[in-house]
Amino acid sequence: MRSAISLVLLCCLASPSATAASPFADYNGRDLYARFCASCHGAAGFGDGPVAPALKVMVPDLTRLYQRHGGRFPEDLVRRIIDGRQVYPVHGSRVMPVWGQELWLAEGAGADAGTEVARMVDRLVDYLRSIQQ
C-alpha cells in the first residue's frame, strides 16, 4: 500500500483523460523536475523539499550524485530510478512514485506513449546531470 504522501503526490498528477494530450510532453528537464521532483528533493535538488520532513526516509541530495558515484554521473541508474525499474529492496518498499508509469498514464497509456515518456525521462536525467556539484 502506498503511503499517504505518495497518494497525495499521485493525486497531483491526475491526467484530464486518457485521450487528452499530455500537458507534460513539451516540458523541459527543469520544468519536469519542478513539477514532479521538487516537492521532495527541493527546488535546488538538496533533498530539502517541503514534503521531505514528512517522509520516513531521508530524501537524497540530487546535486551530489556525481560525487557519490566515484566522479561519474550514474545516468542509467538515475533513469531506472525515475522510471521505476530500480528498487532497493533492502531499503523497504519504494517511497518515490514510479514516474515512468505515471507519465505513461498521463500520455494516454497507449503504445506510442512509451516513446514520449522515454523522452521526458531523458530530459529529467539531463537536467539532473546539469545540477551536479
Side-chain angles (χ1 to χ4, degrees):
M1 183 171 189
R2 295 179 188 227
S3 70
I5 298 297
S6 294
L7 290 174
V8 168
L9 292 173
L10 292 177
C11 289
C12 294
L13 275 179
S15 63
S17 75
T19 59
S22 168
F24 312 120
D26 293 329
Y27 277 33
N28 63 34
R30 178 185 298 258
D31 294 339
L32 288 166
Y33 177 86
R35 177 68 172 92
F36 299 109
C37 312
S39 61
C40 292
H41 292 283
F46 298 133
D48 60 349
V51 176
L55 298 175
K56 293 180 180 180
V57 297
M58 187 176 111
V59 178
D61 178 342
L62 298 179
T63 68
R64 306 255 182 225
L65 296 171
Y66 184 87
Q67 288 179 338
R68 289 195 312 263
H69 289 87
R72 68 170 189 82
F73 182 75
E75 180 175 331
D76 291 334
L77 175 63
V78 170
R79 184 172 282 105
R80 289 191 318 267
I81 290 170
I82 292 169
D83 71 18
R85 291 177 289 152
Q86 182 72 38
V87 178
Y88 293 100
V90 72
H91 295 154
S93 63
R94 182 180 171 101
V95 174
M96 186 177 120
V98 178
W99 294 122
Q101 177 183 350
E102 298 306 321
L103 290 169
W104 179 72
L105 291 170
E107 283 296 307
D112 28 331
T115 302
E116 187 54 42
V117 169
R119 288 184 192 130
M120 287 187 274
V121 170
D122 286 345
R123 291 192 299 267
L124 250 174
V125 170
D126 288 343
Y127 176 72
L128 291 174
R129 182 186 294 108
S130 78
I131 64 169
Q132 296 307 295
Q133 295 185 13

